[in-house]
Amino acid sequence: MQLSLTKPICFFDLETTGVNISKDRIVEISILKVFPNGTEESKTWLVNPEMTIPKEVIEIHGITNEKVANEPTFKELAKEIHNMIKDSDLGGFNSNRFDIPLLAEEMLRADIDFDMKNCLAIDVQTIFHKMEQRTLSAAYKFYCGENLDGAHSAEADTKATYEVLKAQIAKYEEVENNTKFLAEFSSRKKFADFAGFIAYNKEGVECFSFGKHKGKLVTEVLEKEPGYFGWLLNADFPLYTKKVLTSIKLRSFNNKL
């Protein structure tokens, strides 16, 4: 089974200091780049997160503070990582809700203008949950018939994710072998930002999905309550959410000219 690709796709997995997209940092990233002709390229980096890795997190992925102390920071690696993924679609396991949002935050902190405008995102976990309701280890056992050795290692999880997706396509007739279908099938509710603070309504227009303005059009709220935009930019929201809000505000301003 070979994926039907029109452009490269990068399967990736992150090990991090925690699960807070705004505050936590990457300690390991592994990327498996698959090209339309079936050739593969892979790279794994350990990353100095410039913060202490909590003990309870170390117990999960086994990456200690001592292990990453002399490794490069993400900012030092950002251009190399971005060059590897910038021409590709992205794939991962729970990547739409965690890995992609956190990667975007790290890229923006490193002054890399990361966005997904020309990139599809395939979340293998969503396909799996729609079909079988399991974890990655169970998915690998179910679809590939093998135990996942080295679970919670970024490299092992990345390779397993790729193998599971190919097995899913082979198993289910309704799961089409093209990235556009896979991206749409593995997506949940449509959001303008990764963290889910700005959703698209039925007309495809951005609305707030939280707080006192939940369900209201972003453009209308920012026009009627200008101070709310400043509050959002200064509050503890992800950088990518702030980037999207700024883009909406600029678009609205330009439309009035």
Side-chain angles (χ1 to χ4, degrees), residues 8-253:
I9 180 169
C10 285
F11 293 92
F12 78 104
D13 185 72
L14 307 177
E15 301 303 336
T16 66
T17 59
V19 295
N20 186 311
I21 291 169
S22 299
K23 296 180 179 180
D24 280 304
R25 301 290 189 269
I26 295 171
V27 298
E28 185 180 34
I29 177 170
S30 186
I31 300 174
L32 172 62
K33 187 170 186 176
V34 183
F35 294 86
N37 65 2
T39 59
E40 301 173 8
E41 172 188 344
S42 64
K43 189 73 184 286
T44 300
W45 298 265
L46 282 171
V47 184
N48 183 336
E50 301 180 276
M51 65 181 291
T52 300
I53 307 171
K55 180 181 178 181
E56 60 271 20
V57 177
I58 294 173
E59 291 174 353
I60 295 173
H61 55 50
I63 300 173
T64 63
N65 291 289
E66 293 75 19
K67 188 173 182 179
V68 295
N70 297 317
E71 297 295 336
T73 65
F74 188 87
K75 190 165 188 175
E76 292 170 327
L77 294 169
K79 287 185 179 179
E80 182 182 359
I81 294 171
H82 187 249
N83 285 337
M84 188 171 183
I85 68 174
K86 66 182 180 182
D87 63 339
S88 307
D89 293 325
L90 296 178
F93 198 85
N94 194 32
S95 48
N96 286 356
R97 292 189 294 175
F98 180 71
D99 298 85
I100 291 176
L102 201 149
L103 178 63
E105 291 299 291
E106 290 277 38
M107 286 289 185
L108 292 172
R109 288 189 203 102
D111 300 320
I112 301 290
D113 189 19
F114 179 87
D115 64 53
M116 297 284 290
K117 291 178 182 176
N118 300 309
C119 175
L120 298 174
I122 298 173
D123 193 329
V124 175
Q125 185 194 61
T126 303
I127 297 174
F128 183 40
H129 283 182
K130 283 185 175 182
M131 295 299 185
E132 304 296 344
Q133 304 292 314
R134 292 289 191 274
T135 62
L136 177 57
S137 294
Y140 192 65
K141 179 69 173 178
F142 181 87
Y143 289 109
C144 304
E146 299 177 20
N147 293 320
L148 177 53
D149 296 327
H152 296 299
S153 153
E155 185 173 1
D157 288 356
T158 297
K159 290 180 178 178
T161 298
Y162 174 45
E163 295 300 325
V164 167
L165 177 59
K166 291 191 293 182
Q168 286 173 330
I169 294 168
K171 182 176 177 64
Y172 304 112
E173 290 184 5
E174 63 267 43
V175 178
E176 299 177 15
N177 188 1
N178 71 77
T179 48
K180 187 174 188 301
F181 172 86
L182 293 168
E184 291 176 354
F185 190 74
S186 64
S187 67
R188 298 174 187 266
K189 187 175 181 180
K190 295 287 186 179
F191 291 101
D193 66 328
F194 296 133
F197 291 109
I198 306 169
Y200 290 107
N201 63 14
K202 293 180 180 179
E203 290 72 40
V205 182
E206 300 95 340
C207 296
F208 286 110
S209 62
F210 70 98
K212 64 179 182 179
H213 293 306
K214 185 176 182 179
K216 297 180 183 178
L217 297 181
V218 173
T219 51
E220 291 183 358
V221 171
L222 297 186
E223 183 174 352
K224 293 178 181 177
E225 196 176 330
Y228 194 59
F229 178 71
W231 176 80
L232 289 167
L233 292 189
N234 289 315
D236 189 22
F237 287 97
L239 295 175
Y240 197 86
T241 300
K242 296 176 182 180
K243 173 185 168 75
V244 171
L245 282 167
T246 302
S247 177
I248 294 171
K249 186 174 179 64
L250 289 174
R251 186 187 67 207
S252 178
F253 177 77

